[in-house]
């Protein structure tokens, strides 16, 4: 009787316990769902939310820009975000492994890896510069406040005059003359701009003249990579704990800066400039193109990071809810950051007596020139500078964590051995070292030229192409009906009708629009007055194509290696889902996945024990269980139900 109780209890534990745990102990899961949401928020909310969105908003009609921005969010941003999260979560695999859905398209995964590599290299250089400014803010007087430094030129005109208290009438005249020059905007360079160009970067005369390595920047780059590695040393188990701080504290800093900003004189004029709609621009195609591009790039679609982060979710996690929360939070942060930035820039414009458009900038120019200059006008300026650059560091690290984890996860999943799973830390260390070494050229005197080249080409239209092909593969090659059933099996409900329409028609159309618009509106990159030479633009295009070219190359390779006597047969075989395609854990492989692939990705000890006893003995135990439950068993099978003397 005791044996029967044990057998009955054991059989109950097989289906019940794994479902209760829903854990992939071999690969790992997030500690809880909050960690995933915070990590994804940190990934999506980055430096672009602070320096690109406000600039696009005032350049494209102020408040009028919000209309196309939110239209693109609803019809393209959130649907693509949900698609990538569900894609990674369904199979618990990174940006390479998920293409078991249609092996011929695995080149899309390699393209995502190439894009993430480029972005990870130059993104950490931006973070390291933020580290440098953070360290330099630990002083009583910010070094970019005045024009009396060795790196300043005669064209420098500071808004603070000179640091001397016994200024003569000539000095006062010089200050007045300088302010007049500021208003006229002729040949005026600010102390913060000269500090950025002549001291921090010591920019060379061209992209081909590397000059020397800027040792302080190189040191900060090492610090940045060490911080990223330590936060990822245990994969999502460690990064999931770090994001509680890195993903939330920037909002604390933004709020502090916002409260300080709106109390400054002239702040309201800056906010009005930020929000006042210029409705005549709503008909400009460029406004819609910028809105679509900002949504597309700020959410991090086609980088591979969303697929990777979702792959560590539990199978039945509601990623539909998560996609709404994260996307709305990302865009809300952009709008909120606009208030913070333009309140300060409005104060600065009021102080200088110029229009807000004369002091606003974008990209690194906003983060490391315009905003630092505005900080010098505030009381206790080093404190506000520390807070601002600390916020930039945290925003950058949140994105960098996911970029590095994307590459590491792709390598580990592709090799897939137990050794590589247990020694994932060494893979993380290796990727971090390679990333640091590849970033060293960006710390030279020509580094800023190469950084902007990578930003404009390596992660531009290639992202659009990758995302478009991903939609085509899932919706039209694998089949929209199959994918809708997969999502329903995972979430318990099918994708809403709106998302099904967007995935099949609306989002691909918008992506195609972005691609065409990017090509039509293409202009060669420039940096201030510097025009990039043609050979450097060729390198830029080569970087852009290096991620896209992975797709046709791997497709041809897969077709050639597939079974079949004709090209058409090989093509059909190469697009068929791999036998391993489907949920990672055996308890989730139901319906058409019940007999597909290996018996289980994760096998619990009890299941191993039952397997060793053999199939016949397992049938005997199942029949004994039915007998105990009072089920009627045909007499012809009675002889097989005699219990064995020992279990």
């Amino acid at each position: 009787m005791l044996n029967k109780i044990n057998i009955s209890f054991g059989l109950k534990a097989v289906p019940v316990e794994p479902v209760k745990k829903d854990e992939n102990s071999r690969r790992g899961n997030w500690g809880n769902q909050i960690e995933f949401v915070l990590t994804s928020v940190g990934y999506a909310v980055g430096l672009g939310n602070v320096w690109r969105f406000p600039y696009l908003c005032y350049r494209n009609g102020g408040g009028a820009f919000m209309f196309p921005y939110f239209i693109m969010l609803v019809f393209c941003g959130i649907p693509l975000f949900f698609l990538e999260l569900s894609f990674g979560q369904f199979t618990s695999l990174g940006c390479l492994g998920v293409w078991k859905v249609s092996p011929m398209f695995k080149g899309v995964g390699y393209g995502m890896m190439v894009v993430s590599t480029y972005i990870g290299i130059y993104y950490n250089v931006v973070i390291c510069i933020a580290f440098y400014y953070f360290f330099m803010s630990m002083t009583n007087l910010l070094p970019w406040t005045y024009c009396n430094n060795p790196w300043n030129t005669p064209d420098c005109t500071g808004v603070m005059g000179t640091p001397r208290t016994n200024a003569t009438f000539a000095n006062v005249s010089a200050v007045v003359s300088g302010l007049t020059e500021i208003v006229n905007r002729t040949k005026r360079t600010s102390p913060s701009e000269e500090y950025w160009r002549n001291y921090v970067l010591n920019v060379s005369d061209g992209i081909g003249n590397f000059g020397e390595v800027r040792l302080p920047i190189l040191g900060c780059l090492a610090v940045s990579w060490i911080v990223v590695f330590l936060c990822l040393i245990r994969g999502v188990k460690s990064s999931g704990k770090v994001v509680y701080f890195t993903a939330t504290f920037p909002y604390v800093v933004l709020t502090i800066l916002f409260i300080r900003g709106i109390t400054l004189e002239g702040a309201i004029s800056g906010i009005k400039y930020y929000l006042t709609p210029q409705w005549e621009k709503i008909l400009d195609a460029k406004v819609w193109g910028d809105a679509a591009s900002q949504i597309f790039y700020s959410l991090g679609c086609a980088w591979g990071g969303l697929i990777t982060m979702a792959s560590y979710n539990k199978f039945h996690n509601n990623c539909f809810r998560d996609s709404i929360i994260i996307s709305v939070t990302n865009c809300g942060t952009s709008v909120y950051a606009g208030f913070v930035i333009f309140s300060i820039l409005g104060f600065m414009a009021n102080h200088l007596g110029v229009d807000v458009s004369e002091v606003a900038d974008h990209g690194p120019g906003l983060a490391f020139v315009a905003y630092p200059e505005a900080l010098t006008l505030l009381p206790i300026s080093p404190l506000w500078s520390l807070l601002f650059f600390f916020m930039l560091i945290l925003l950058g690290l949140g994105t960098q964590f996911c970029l590095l984890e994307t590459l590491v996860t792709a390598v580990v999943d592709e090799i897939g051995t137990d050794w590589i799973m247990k020694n994932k830390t060494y893979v993380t260390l290796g990727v971090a070292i390679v990333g640091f070494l590849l970033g060293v050229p960006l710390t030279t005197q020509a580094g800023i030229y190469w950084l902007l080249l990578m930003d404009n080409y390596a992660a531009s239209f290639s992202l659009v192409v990758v995302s478009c092909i991903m939609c085509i593969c899932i919706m039209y090659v694998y089949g929209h009906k199959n994918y809708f059933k997969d999502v329903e099996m995972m979430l318990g409900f099918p994708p809403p009708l709106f998302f099904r329409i967007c995935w099949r028609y609306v989002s691909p159309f918008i992506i195609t629009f972005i691609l065409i618009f990017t090509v039509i509106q293409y202009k060669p990159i420039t940096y201030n007055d510097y025009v990039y030479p043609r050979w450097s633009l060729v390198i830029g295009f080569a970087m852009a194509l290096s991620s896209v070219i992975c797709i046709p190359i791997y497709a041809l390779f897969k077709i050639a290696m597939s079974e079949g006597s004709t090209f058409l047969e090989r093509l059909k075989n190469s697009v068929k889902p791999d036998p391993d395609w489907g949920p990672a854990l055996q308890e989730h492989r139901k319906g058409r996945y019940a007999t597909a692939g290996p018996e289980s990705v994760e096998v619990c000890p009890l299941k191993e024990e039952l397997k060793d006893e053999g199939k016949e003995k397992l049938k005997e135990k199942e029949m004994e269980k039915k007998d105990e439950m009072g089920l009627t068993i045909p007499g012809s099978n009675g002889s097989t139900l005699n219990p064995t003397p020992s279990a």
Side-chain angles (χ1 to χ4, degrees):
M1 182 67 182
L2 181 62
N3 290 332
K4 291 183 178 181
I5 294 175
N6 289 337
I7 293 171
S8 177
F9 177 80
L11 286 171
K12 286 183 180 179
V14 173
V16 175
E17 184 62 21
V19 172
K20 182 179 179 181
K21 286 180 61 180
D22 197 19
E23 292 278 355
N24 190 332
S25 59
R26 184 171 183 265
R27 191 172 183 272
N29 292 108
W30 295 105
N32 56 64
Q33 207 49 36
I34 296 178
E35 293 181 5
F36 166 69
V37 172
L38 290 178
T39 301
S40 299
V41 167
Y43 174 63
V45 177
L47 299 174
N49 297 74
V50 174
W51 70 35
R52 192 169 189 265
F53 176 81
Y55 170 76
L56 290 176
C57 211
Y58 92 81
R59 189 183 75 177
N60 291 303
F65 180 73
M66 301 289 186
F67 179 72
Y69 181 73
F70 285 110
I71 290 293
M72 293 300 176
L73 169 66
V74 172
F75 288 98
C76 186
I78 297 178
L80 285 177
F81 206 93
F82 179 31
L83 179 64
E84 291 202 28
L85 291 190
S86 60
F87 196 27
Q89 181 175 306
F90 184 74
T91 55
S92 299
L93 292 171
C95 64
L96 286 183
V98 291
W99 296 103
K100 291 179 180 179
V101 66
S102 185
M104 189 185 82
F105 289 89
K106 191 174 182 179
V108 177
Y110 284 110
M112 289 178 172
M113 285 188 65
V114 173
V115 170
S116 292
T117 300
Y118 285 136
I119 297 175
I121 291 170
Y122 76 75
Y123 211 84
N124 227 18
V125 174
V126 178
I127 298 173
C128 87
I129 296 175
F131 264 113
Y132 180 79
Y133 270 81
F134 177 77
F135 295 141
M136 291 298 101
S137 299
M138 297 178 181
T139 178
N140 294 326
L141 179 68
L142 294 177
W144 56 86
T145 304
Y146 299 109
C147 290
N148 61 339
N149 302 289
W151 58 82
N152 292 127
T153 68
D155 293 330
C156 179
T157 306
V159 296
M160 297 292 292
T162 66
R164 301 171 187 170
T165 57
N166 58 343
T168 62
F169 179 77
N171 290 333
V172 175
S173 299
V175 173
V176 173
S177 174
L179 289 175
T180 303
E181 195 173 10
I182 292 173
V183 176
N184 295 334
R185 308 300 292 176
T186 57
K187 288 194 65 179
R188 185 257 174 178
T189 56
S190 66
S192 61
E193 182 179 354
E194 294 200 349
Y195 181 77
W196 162 252
R197 285 180 55 84
N198 301 338
Y199 184 73
V200 178
L201 302 180
N202 193 14
V203 181
S204 65
D205 58 0
I207 190 171
N209 182 12
F210 284 91
E212 62 182 9
V213 173
R214 302 291 297 148
L215 293 179
I217 303 300
L218 181 64
C220 290
L221 181 63
V223 170
S224 182
W225 275 109
I226 290 172
V227 170
V228 172
F229 168 71
L230 292 178
C231 291
L232 289 174
I233 194 168
R234 293 182 59 233
V236 296
K237 293 297 184 183
S238 56
S239 65
K241 303 299 183 292
V242 176
V243 294
Y244 281 105
F245 179 73
T246 60
T248 57
F249 194 73
Y251 292 96
V252 177
V253 178
L254 277 174
T255 302
I256 294 173
L257 293 174
F258 174 69
I259 294 173
R260 182 68 186 101
I262 60 176
T263 60
L264 298 171
E265 185 179 359
I268 300 301
S269 63
I271 294 177
K272 284 182 178 178
Y273 189 91
Y274 170 53
L275 293 179
T276 302
Q278 302 172 29
W279 294 112
E280 65 276 7
K281 290 192 175 183
I282 204 72
L283 299 177
D284 188 352
K286 182 170 176 55
V287 175
W288 289 84
D290 284 347
S293 299
Q294 177 63 12
I295 286 292
F296 191 85
Y297 299 131
S298 66
L299 289 177
C301 298
W303 292 13
L306 298 179
I307 294 175
T308 301
M309 294 303 103
S311 71
Y312 292 103
N313 279 334
K314 294 178 181 178
F315 183 74
H316 294 296
N317 170 64
N318 191 345
C319 59
F320 170 70
R321 172 202 60 202
D322 295 340
S323 63
I324 302 293
I325 294 174
I326 298 166
S327 300
V328 172
T329 301
N330 172 70
C331 297
T333 303
S334 296
V335 176
Y336 187 36
F339 283 96
V340 177
I341 296 297
F342 275 89
S343 63
I344 297 293
L345 295 180
F347 164 68
M348 186 176 179
N350 179 77
H351 185 88
L352 296 175
V354 298
D355 192 76
V356 178
S357 61
E358 296 294 321
V359 294
D361 202 346
H362 73 288
L366 177 62
F368 299 118
V369 177
Y371 206 89
E373 183 175 8
L375 294 174
T376 62
L377 303 176
L378 300 177
I380 324 177
S381 55
L383 172 63
W384 306 113
S385 183
L386 283 170
L387 286 174
F388 177 73
F389 288 110
F390 188 53
M391 177 188 70
L392 289 187
I393 291 170
L394 294 181
L395 288 174
L397 288 177
T399 302
Q400 189 67 16
F401 289 159
C402 296
L403 289 170
L404 185 61
E405 185 63 37
T406 297
L407 299 175
V408 173
T409 299
V411 173
V412 172
D413 284 349
E414 189 68 7
I415 298 175
T417 63
D418 290 335
W419 186 91
I420 203 73
M421 291 284 185
K422 293 178 181 178
N423 295 277
K424 185 178 177 181
T425 300
Y426 295 111
V427 180
T428 306
L429 177 61
V431 173
I433 292 175
V434 172
F436 168 75
L437 294 176
L438 293 176
V440 170
L442 301 184
T443 64
T444 63
Q445 291 176 266
I448 187 64
Y449 300 116
W450 289 100
L451 189 149
L452 294 176
L453 186 73
M454 295 177 70
D455 183 44
N456 280 271
Y457 289 91
S460 56
F461 80 93
S462 57
L463 290 176
V464 184
V465 175
V466 168
S467 186
C468 187
I469 295 178
M470 180 179 67
C471 288
I472 293 173
C473 172
I474 298 175
M475 292 295 110
Y476 297 101
V477 178
Y478 176 60
H480 63 278
K481 292 182 179 179
N482 290 331
Y483 194 73
F484 296 161
K485 290 179 182 177
D486 291 342
V487 173
E488 183 175 7
M489 184 175 76
M490 179 173 63
L491 302 183
F493 58 88
L497 178 62
F498 172 78
F499 286 85
R500 283 180 272 169
I501 294 174
C502 285
W503 285 347
R504 295 186 64 191
Y505 308 112
V506 181
S507 296
F509 173 78
I510 293 177
I511 294 172
T512 305
F513 164 75
I514 299 173
L515 180 60
I516 296 174
F517 179 82
T518 302
V519 174
I520 294 175
Q521 294 290 326
Y522 169 75
K523 293 181 180 179
I525 181 178
T526 60
Y527 176 57
N528 294 333
D529 296 330
Y530 178 75
V531 178
Y532 279 69
R534 185 169 299 179
W535 63 266
S536 65
L537 299 180
V538 172
I539 294 177
F541 280 113
M543 286 191 292
L545 292 174
S546 62
S547 56
V548 177
I549 200 68
C550 295
I551 301 173
I553 289 179
Y554 189 86
L556 293 174
F557 167 77
K558 190 64 181 179
I559 292 173
M561 299 300 293
S562 297
E563 296 180 356
S565 57
T566 65
F567 176 81
L568 188 59
E569 289 179 356
R570 292 182 176 184
L571 177 63
K572 289 181 178 179
N573 290 328
S574 66
V575 298
K576 287 181 180 178
D578 191 277
D580 291 341
W581 162 254
L585 302 183
Q586 181 64 26
E587 56 262 30
H588 300 142
R589 299 183 74 94
K590 301 175 181 178
R592 58 199 175 98
Y593 295 106
T595 58
E599 188 173 88
S600 176
V601 174
E602 179 184 37
V603 183
C604 61
L606 181 58
K607 192 174 290 186
E608 283 283 0
E609 184 178 329
L610 292 174
K611 184 178 178 181
D612 293 337
E613 291 178 359
K615 294 182 179 179
E616 193 63 30
K617 196 170 184 179
L618 180 58
K619 290 181 180 179
E620 292 176 0
K621 293 176 182 179
E622 290 175 342
M623 298 305 293
E624 284 181 351
K625 180 185 175 184
K626 291 181 179 179
D627 213 13
E628 288 181 301
M629 294 174 66
L631 297 177
T632 302
I633 308 298
S636 59
N637 293 334
S639 59
T640 63
L641 296 177
N642 295 328
T644 56
S646 60

